[in-house]
Amino acid sequence: MDLYSLPALSVLSDTVSIIEKDALKIVRIISGKARAAIALHGGHVMSYQPSDQPDVIWMSEAAILDGKAAIRGGVPVCWPWFGGLASPSHGFARTSEWQLIEHRENENGVVVCLGLNDSQQTRDIWPHQFELKLYVEVGDQLKITLDMHNPSEVAWPFSAALHTYLNVSDITSVTTSGMGPNYIDKLQDGKTCQGDSELVLSHAIDRIYTQPSASIHVEDKGYERTLKVENQGHNAAVMWNPWEEGASAMADMNDNGYQTMLCVESTVFSPSLESGQLVAAGESHQLITTITPITA
Ligand code: TA6
């Protein structure tokens, strides 16, 4: 999806502008080190492309950009729950309209901050006060920080994921290490399993790894790079690829879309809404993913 040749609706600085694609307003960053795009709908990173490299983030060519549906691809912000614990699936943050709060530059690159607070609409779905901030730092690496603050006087439980779709040259020739030994297999009714330390996929996968290493490496020979994924504030890392059958069942993914994507997600997993991680009154929690492309 070429978001970089679209004209700017408004120019905010030398590096940051706002563009429009279908019904979406998108914050676009073009700097010396990298370019990136973040939709206000969902607070959704749609692209992160270091200079002279293919995009690190996969976007579905069939994604629905109507400002209502969840965007297929990118980095969906799943919050205040991960998965189908309640409706809508993966929470409401990924289909809410976020506000641009600030943009600035630091020694690492450009930082954009978006915000989402509770409203009558969110309290009808989830009866809690919250203040979310999403910091997206774009430079030699992509760092996404979901800062969740509880301004109320009552603790609330949450689960969440930064549901990153990595862009890979060919899913069958990518080797992933660092997911850890133990996982819950959604494709086997939530069975607890043990797996190999290196993964090369040849079929659908939907696993919640409960003891991931500090760094996960996705080695992609076709693109001559390794994507290093480092997560913080998580208790699990999810790996997902729907393969051909799953892709063809989705209206917003082409049948062959699965061939060039791999979801590696920084996740706070909980089996139920009530047993989620608690954020005490007045406290905050940060869920972070940092993706560093390493080239030879
Ligand atoms: O993170 C993996 C997962 O929860 C899978 O079970 C799969 O359904 C995927 O997310 C996509 O969910 P979505 O609601 O975006 O179709």
Side-chain angles (χ1 to χ4, degrees), residues 176-185 191-199 205 207-216 235-237:
T176 304
S177 55
M179 295 299 288
N182 302 321
Y183 62 89
I184 298 165
D185 196 343
K191 192 174 157 198
T192 304
C193 305
Q194 294 224 313
D196 298 333
S197 54
E198 288 204 337
L199 291 159
I205 189 166
R207 296 179 183 173
I208 300 156
Y209 283 86
T210 49
Q211 292 167 303
S213 303
S215 334
I216 296 165
N235 64 9

Side-chain angles (χ1 to χ4, degrees), residues 31-54:
S31 77
K33 289 182 175 174
R35 50 193 199 173
I38 310 140
L40 296 182
H41 178 65
H44 199 115
V45 174
M46 299 175 74
S47 165
Y48 162 65
Q49 188 175 23
S51 303
D52 306 323
Q53 280 190 49

Side-chain angles (χ1 to χ4, degrees), residues 72 82-83 89-90 94 163 165 186 206 238 240 250 265:
R72 178 70 60 203
F82 170 75
S89 173
H90 284 320
R94 68 173 179 164
H163 193 304
Y165 289 69
K186 283 218 218 167
D206 193 353
V238 168
W240 179 61
M250 281 183 262
E265 309 166 27

Side-chain angles (χ1 to χ4, degrees), residues 2 5 15 38 50 53 62 117 119 130 132 150 165-166 293:
D2 183 14
S5 56
T15 51
I38 310 140
Q53 280 190 49
N117 291 351
S119 62
F130 64 85
L132 293 186
N150 178 356
Y165 289 69
L166 296 174

Side-chain angles (χ1 to χ4, degrees), residues 8-172:
L9 272 188
S10 57
V11 175
L12 306 184
S13 74
D14 287 352
T15 51
V16 181
S17 58
I18 304 290
I19 58 166
E20 205 168 30
K21 171 82 177 160
D22 298 350
L24 302 187
K25 293 255 186 322
I26 297 169
V27 182
R28 181 172 67 190
I29 297 165
I30 301 181
S31 77
K33 289 182 175 174
R35 50 193 199 173
I38 310 140
L40 296 182
H41 178 65
H44 199 115
V45 174
M46 299 175 74
S47 165
Y48 162 65
Q49 188 175 23
S51 303
D52 306 323
Q53 280 190 49
D55 214 307
V56 166
I57 302 296
W58 181 89
M59 269 297 300
S60 172
E61 285 169 18
I64 300 163
L65 307 181
D66 64 357
K68 296 190 185 84
I71 299 170
R72 178 70 60 203
V75 187
V77 176
C78 304
W79 193 90
W81 54 85
F82 170 75
L85 300 180
S87 180
S89 173
H90 284 320
F92 52 76
R94 68 173 179 164
T95 49
S96 297
E97 201 63 15
W98 293 58
Q99 303 295 318
L100 173 60
I101 294 185
E102 62 162 331
H103 58 90
R104 57 188 150 84
E105 294 194 23
N106 65 18
E107 66 283 6
N108 298 322
V110 181
V111 186
V112 165
C113 176
L114 305 186
L116 178 71
N117 291 351
D118 61 284
S119 62
Q120 191 54 53
Q121 209 182 345
T122 67
R123 290 189 296 272
D124 286 346
I125 305 173
W126 191 67
H128 300 290
Q129 284 174 268
F130 64 85
E131 291 168 8
L132 293 186
K133 289 207 172 64
L134 188 79
Y135 296 91
V136 182
E137 214 167 306
V138 175
D140 293 329
Q141 50 184 206
L142 171 70
K143 181 175 182 185
I144 305 174
T145 303
L146 176 64
D147 182 287
M148 48 201 101
H149 177 64
N150 178 356
S152 75
E153 290 175 4
V154 191
W156 40 248
F158 77 96
S159 54
L162 295 169
H163 193 304
T164 309
Y165 289 69
L166 296 174
N167 182 37
V168 298
S169 59
D170 171 6
I171 187 65
T172 59

